Amino acid sequence: MMRRLSFLLPLLAFAAIAGWFWLGLAPDRNPSAIPSVMIGKQLPEFDLPPLTSGSPGLKSSELKGRVTLISFFASWCVPCRAEHPLLFPLAQDKRIQIVGIAYNDKPGNTSAYLSELGNPYSRVVV
């Protein structure tokens, strides 16, 4: 009996996978939406040092009342390299401030990364 019904196993597996994909493509879902636990929350307080001495650091209080894009990047991050050229057109818009936060990277590597690819940021902090 079990042997005769074994042909149903691949059909059931296919139906389960197809159902899972169908739920993912439901009309009320937005696949481009990125959920975040920070949506609707206050900006956390921070005071970050600059990448290079003599440059300004960044305090959370300086961001209030201004549209700011905060980009976390690193020289070793492949998606960051792909995203980097897209920041330059945004940097031309004077209504938007772009701040770069070098994440888990050595200052020398970060400086080389910005020298190689250009610097679209108004400030770079670590």
Side-chain angles (χ1 to χ4, degrees):
M1 177 76 173
M2 193 70 147
R3 204 165 196 193
R4 280 201 250 172
L5 296 177
S6 64
F7 75 93
L8 290 176
L9 186 60
L11 292 173
L12 291 173
F14 174 77
I17 293 170
W20 183 66
F21 281 122
W22 182 79
L23 286 174
L25 296 173
D28 60 336
R29 281 186 52 113
N30 182 357
S32 65
I34 300 173
S36 174
V37 296
M38 295 303 295
I39 293 175
K41 304 261 170 103
Q42 291 291 325
L43 180 68
E45 295 293 322
F46 59 83
D47 185 2
L48 301 173
L51 174 66
T52 56
S53 62
S55 298
L58 182 67
K59 294 181 181 180
S60 55
S61 60
E62 297 172 327
L63 301 177
K64 293 185 176 154
R66 184 140 190 229
V67 176
T68 305
L69 170 67
I70 300 175
S71 175
F72 291 84
F73 72 98
S75 62
W76 47 263
C77 173
V78 175
C80 298
R81 287 184 175 269
E83 173 189 74
H84 197 81
L86 303 174
L87 298 175
F88 286 97
L90 290 174
Q92 300 303 315
D93 189 339
K94 299 303 177 196
R95 298 172 296 169
I96 300 172
Q97 170 182 234
I98 302 177
V99 174
I101 297 179
Y103 173 74
N104 202 18
D105 207 359
K106 295 178 182 170
N109 292 346
T110 301
S111 295
Y113 171 89
L114 293 173
S115 293
E116 177 188 344
L117 300 176
N119 186 354
Y121 307 112
S122 60
R123 294 186 197 188
V124 180
V125 296
V126 294

